[in-house]
Amino acid sequence: MRKLVVLALLISSAITIFAEELTREEKRFRSQIESYVKEEGYSPYIDTDETVTFKYQGDLYWISVDEYKKGFYVFMSTSISLEDANIKNALLAADEVQSDWKFLRIHRSSNKKSFLIRVDGYFTTIAQFKDLFSSWIYILSEADKEIQEKCIKMNDNAQSIQRLGIIQAA
């Protein structure tokens, strides 16, 4: 038991050592983002991986900040669960939606149980972020809806084809 506790402490220490700390400037910009999100009526908080997290229409959204040269790359994302989805249809739907929204990126999570839908931009001032914030929420929520609608339509079409095949075979 003692060895297990020591091993757990070593692992947690290693994770802490290798976790990237935000720079002072990243924290400052992230704080400005958090304040703005709060001004817009949301209840943001900083989660364990240093992202601004908030809910919109029941879904979680995350905003992360990475300093680059004289500005910041800001990534805003949400996710869709694939727990009950037909994976083939979900992948096709995500691909179509990503093609429709050129600046949107959709990635399948490493555990393959969700999609991460993401937009990003490069900002040198918080005013630039403020200009895009509401558009980003709209884009992410619409992409989420479109993926779900396309999956439902594909499933309905597949069921119709199956029913037609059953009728023809009988």
Side-chain angles (χ1 to χ4, degrees):
M1 182 66 156
R2 180 186 247 168
K3 288 180 183 179
L4 190 58
V5 171
V6 171
L7 181 62
L9 287 172
L10 286 172
I11 290 171
S12 68
S13 297
I15 290 170
T16 303
I17 290 169
F18 291 113
E20 287 188 42
E21 288 288 322
L22 294 181
T23 67
R24 188 168 40 122
E25 289 303 308
E26 287 171 332
K27 287 180 180 178
R28 182 189 59 77
F29 202 75
R30 183 195 62 191
S31 178
Q32 291 175 335
I33 288 172
E34 181 183 19
S35 295
Y36 178 71
V37 171
K38 195 174 287 184
E39 285 172 24
E40 290 296 299
Y42 303 99
S43 299
Y45 60 92
I46 305 301
D47 67 13
T48 56
D49 61 347
E50 301 289 329
T51 61
V52 176
T53 303
F54 65 98
K55 277 191 173 184
Y56 172 70
Q57 296 183 346
D59 294 325
L60 281 177
Y61 286 76
W62 303 277
I63 302 172
S64 62
V65 176
D66 287 320
E67 188 174 11
Y68 182 74
K69 295 191 178 186
K70 296 185 186 284
F72 303 90
Y73 277 111
V74 177
F75 304 90
M76 187 165 156
S77 55
T78 190
S79 66
I80 299 175
S81 173
L82 297 175
E83 291 291 330
D84 298 324
N86 174 316
I87 299 301
K88 182 179 175 186
N89 289 349
L91 290 169
L92 289 170
D95 199 34
E96 284 182 31
V97 170
Q98 184 169 263
S99 293
D100 294 343
W101 298 85
K102 303 290 186 242
F103 40 84
L104 177 83
R105 294 293 165 252
I106 302 172
H107 305 280
R108 194 167 171 195
S109 66
S110 58
N111 66 9
K112 301 185 184 212
K113 294 184 179 182
S114 63
F115 283 136
L116 182 70
I117 306 171
R118 185 185 95 189
V119 291
D120 55 69
Y122 179 76
F123 305 107
T124 55
T125 67
I126 193 65
Q128 294 168 324
F129 172 80
K130 289 177 179 181
D131 287 343
L132 284 179
F133 178 72
S134 61
S135 295
W136 278 9
I137 288 179
Y138 173 78
I139 291 164
L140 291 170
S141 64
E142 285 300 305
D144 181 325
K145 287 176 197 169
E146 285 182 29
I147 290 170
Q148 292 181 41
E149 288 168 1
K150 286 178 185 293
C151 282
I152 290 168
K153 186 176 179 181
M154 287 177 192
N155 287 337
D156 287 347
N157 287 342
Q159 288 174 355
S160 296
I161 291 168
Q162 285 176 340
R163 276 190 234 113
L164 180 60
I166 292 169
I167 292 169
Q168 288 176 346

PDB file of all heavy atoms in Angstrom, residues 129 151-152 154:
ATOM      1  N   PHE A 129     -11.133  40.244 -29.761  1.00  0.00           N
ATOM      2  CA  PHE A 129     -11.841  39.056 -29.288  1.00  0.00           C
ATOM      3  C   PHE A 129     -13.313  39.382 -29.061  1.00  0.00           C
ATOM      4  O   PHE A 129     -14.193  38.608 -29.455  1.00  0.00           O
ATOM      5  CB  PHE A 129     -11.208  38.527 -27.985  1.00  0.00           C
ATOM      6  CG  PHE A 129     -12.007  37.438 -27.351  1.00  0.00           C
ATOM      7  CD1 PHE A 129     -11.933  36.136 -27.823  1.00  0.00           C
ATOM      8  CD2 PHE A 129     -12.863  37.710 -26.294  1.00  0.00           C
ATOM      9  CE1 PHE A 129     -12.698  35.124 -27.256  1.00  0.00           C
ATOM     10  CE2 PHE A 129     -13.616  36.708 -25.709  1.00  0.00           C
ATOM     11  CZ  PHE A 129     -13.542  35.411 -26.201  1.00  0.00           C
ATOM     12  N   CYS A 151     -27.002  13.703 -38.819  1.00  0.00           N
ATOM     13  CA  CYS A 151     -26.982  12.313 -38.329  1.00  0.00           C
ATOM     14  C   CYS A 151     -28.393  11.735 -38.296  1.00  0.00           C
ATOM     15  O   CYS A 151     -28.611  10.599 -38.719  1.00  0.00           O
ATOM     16  CB  CYS A 151     -26.368  12.246 -36.934  1.00  0.00           C
ATOM     17  SG  CYS A 151     -24.585  12.337 -36.920  1.00  0.00           S
ATOM     18  N   ILE A 152     -29.340  12.514 -37.813  1.00  0.00           N
ATOM     19  CA  ILE A 152     -30.736  12.055 -37.752  1.00  0.00           C
ATOM     20  C   ILE A 152     -31.253  11.784 -39.160  1.00  0.00           C
ATOM     21  O   ILE A 152     -31.872  10.751 -39.415  1.00  0.00           O
ATOM     22  CB  ILE A 152     -31.622  13.088 -37.022  1.00  0.00           C
ATOM     23  CG1 ILE A 152     -31.264  13.088 -35.528  1.00  0.00           C
ATOM     24  CG2 ILE A 152     -33.097  12.793 -37.225  1.00  0.00           C
ATOM     25  CD1 ILE A 152     -31.852  14.261 -34.751  1.00  0.00           C
ATOM     26  N   MET A 154     -29.513  11.079 -41.858  1.00  0.00           N
ATOM     27  CA  MET A 154     -28.836   9.894 -42.400  1.00  0.00           C
ATOM     28  C   MET A 154     -29.427   8.616 -41.807  1.00  0.00           C
ATOM     29  O   MET A 154     -29.609   7.633 -42.518  1.00  0.00           O
ATOM     30  CB  MET A 154     -27.332   9.956 -42.116  1.00  0.00           C
ATOM     31  CG  MET A 154     -26.594  10.947 -42.944  1.00  0.00           C
ATOM     32  SD  MET A 154     -24.856  10.969 -42.439  1.00  0.00           S
ATOM     33  CE  MET A 154     -24.293  12.424 -43.270  1.00  0.00           C
TER      34      MET A 154
END
